[in-house]
Amino acid sequence: MGHTEAQAPGPGKAMAVRRYFGAIARRYDLANDILSFGVQRAWKRQAVRCLKLQPGARVADLCGGTGDLAILAAPRVAPHGRVYLIDFTREMLGVGREKAAATCGGHLIHPIQGDVLRLPLPDDRLDGVIVGFGVRNLADMAQGLREMHRVLKPGGRLVCLEFSHPTPAWFARLYELYSRFLIPLAGKIIAGNAQAYAYLTTSIRAFPTAPELAALLSELGFSRVTWVPLTRGIAVIHVGVKG
Ligand SMILES: C[S@@+](CC[C@H](N)C(=O)[O-])C[C@H]1O[C@@H](n2cnc3c(N)ncnc32)[C@H](O)[C@@H]1O
C-alpha cells in the first residue's frame, strides 16, 4: 500500500494508517525520541498541562498509541480519576498497555481498542480529551473532532498536539530538507519502515495551518479556541472548550 493511499481521506487511509503503525509499534517511541532529539517529550508534558486536570477527572487520550500522554495524565487525576487510552491499532495499544502497567498511576489507565470516528463513550462524559499527533492520521478529521466534542462535558477541554508548519522561511526550508530526506531514511534505519516515515512527512505538509485548524474547531462548536506554536511552529497545541 503506497503512502499516497494513506493521504486520501476514507477507509483506504484508515487501513494504511493501521498497517504503518502496526509495523512500527515496537520502535515508535525510540524513533520519536531520536527524530525529535528528545523534544517531543517536552511538547507532550506541555500539552498535558494544558488540560488543567483536577484529581478525580475523567479524560481520554485519543489516538493514544503507546500511551505517553495517558501516562503523563494519570498522576494528575489520581487517586480516583480515569484515563481512557483509545487507539485502533492493536500493536500500538499493546505497547501502551505494557508501559501503563509499569507506571505509577497506571491502574487508572483503561486501554480500549476503538475507533476515534465512533468513540465507544457516552455523550457529555469527559472533563478532558487529549490527542497527540493523531488528528492528522484520521480518515475523516472533522468527524473525529465532532466525536471529541460529543464525549466532552460542557466546559470540558480539548487539547490537540499536532505537527504544523514552521516559520520563518529559512527555518521552514531547513526543516523541509530534514523531513524530506532524513526522516524517511532514519525511519528505515530505526523502525525498519521508510514508507511509514515518508507518509509522516507528506501528511504534515498536507495538514491545515494553525489558524485553519483553529477555525475548524470553532466551526465544530468549540469555544475559546487558542493555540501555542512549539519549537518555531514544528508542532502546535490547540485548546478548545466545549461551550
Ligand atoms: C502518531 S501516533 C500517535 C501516538 C501517541 N498519541 C503519541 O503522541 O505518541 C497516531 C496513532 O493514531 C492512531 N489512529 C489513527 N486513526 C485512528 C482512529 N480512527 N481511531 C483510533 N486510533 C487511530 C494510530 O493507530 C496511531 O497509533
Side-chain angles (χ1 to χ4, degrees):
M1 196 169 290
H3 71 267
T4 42
E5 190 157 8
Q7 290 307 311
K13 172 162 177 162
M15 276 173 59
V17 164
R18 252 189 217 213
R19 182 173 298 205
Y20 287 155
F21 286 104
I24 64 173
R26 290 271 151 205
R27 293 295 186 92
Y28 174 81
D29 288 343
L30 176 68
N32 274 354
D33 278 336
I34 293 176
L35 292 173
S36 75
F37 306 102
V39 173
Q40 60 118 11
R41 291 188 178 266
W43 294 345
K44 285 177 173 171
R45 282 196 298 273
Q46 188 170 342
V48 171
R49 282 197 297 273
C50 290
L51 276 172
K52 298 196 188 302
L53 292 170
Q54 302 294 326
R58 284 196 183 130
V59 59
D61 174 10
L62 302 181
C63 297
T66 59
D68 280 353
L69 294 166
I71 288 167
L72 289 168
R76 293 172 174 259
V77 303
H80 300 304
R82 183 164 290 202
V83 184
Y84 300 98
L85 169 61
I86 301 184
D87 199 287
F88 69 8
T89 305
R90 187 176 47 82
E91 294 86 346
M92 291 288 280
L93 203 60
V95 176
R97 187 177 278 121
E98 283 168 23
K99 281 164 62 183
T103 309
C104 163
H107 63 287
L108 303 175
I109 299 176
H110 295 248
I112 301 173
Q113 189 176 356
D115 191 341
V116 169
L117 304 187
R118 288 183 302 273
L119 280 173
L121 293 170
D123 297 358
D124 303 328
R125 175 71 159 193
L126 302 176
D127 301 287
V129 162
I130 188 160
V131 53
F133 309 110
V135 292
R136 179 176 35 85
N137 294 297
L138 295 174
D140 181 345
M141 182 168 66
Q143 170 61 16
L145 294 170
R146 273 192 288 272
E147 279 291 89
M148 297 175 202
H149 190 272
R150 179 182 69 75
V151 298
L152 279 170
K153 291 177 187 168
R157 293 168 82 82
L158 168 69
V159 173
C160 173
L161 166 65
E162 190 49 90
F163 287 112
S164 193
H165 304 277
T167 53
W170 68 266
F171 184 71
R173 271 198 295 278
L174 209 64
Y175 178 71
E176 168 74 14
L177 290 175
Y178 171 69
S179 60
R180 189 183 289 256
F181 299 109
L182 284 181
I183 289 186
L185 179 67
K188 185 175 174 151
I189 295 166
I190 303 161
N193 194 322
Q195 219 180 33
Y197 285 85
Y199 158 69
L200 169 70
T201 58
T202 46
S203 64
I204 294 170
R205 238 172 272 138
F207 194 68
T209 62
E212 285 166 351
L213 181 56
L216 177 63
L217 291 172
S218 305
E219 207 177 290
L220 294 174
F222 289 97
S223 59
R224 289 186 268 152
V225 175
T226 55
W227 75 86
V228 198
L230 307 170
T231 319
R232 293 182 182 266
I234 289 179
V236 172
I237 296 172
H238 282 78
V239 180
V241 176
K242 178 163 171 176

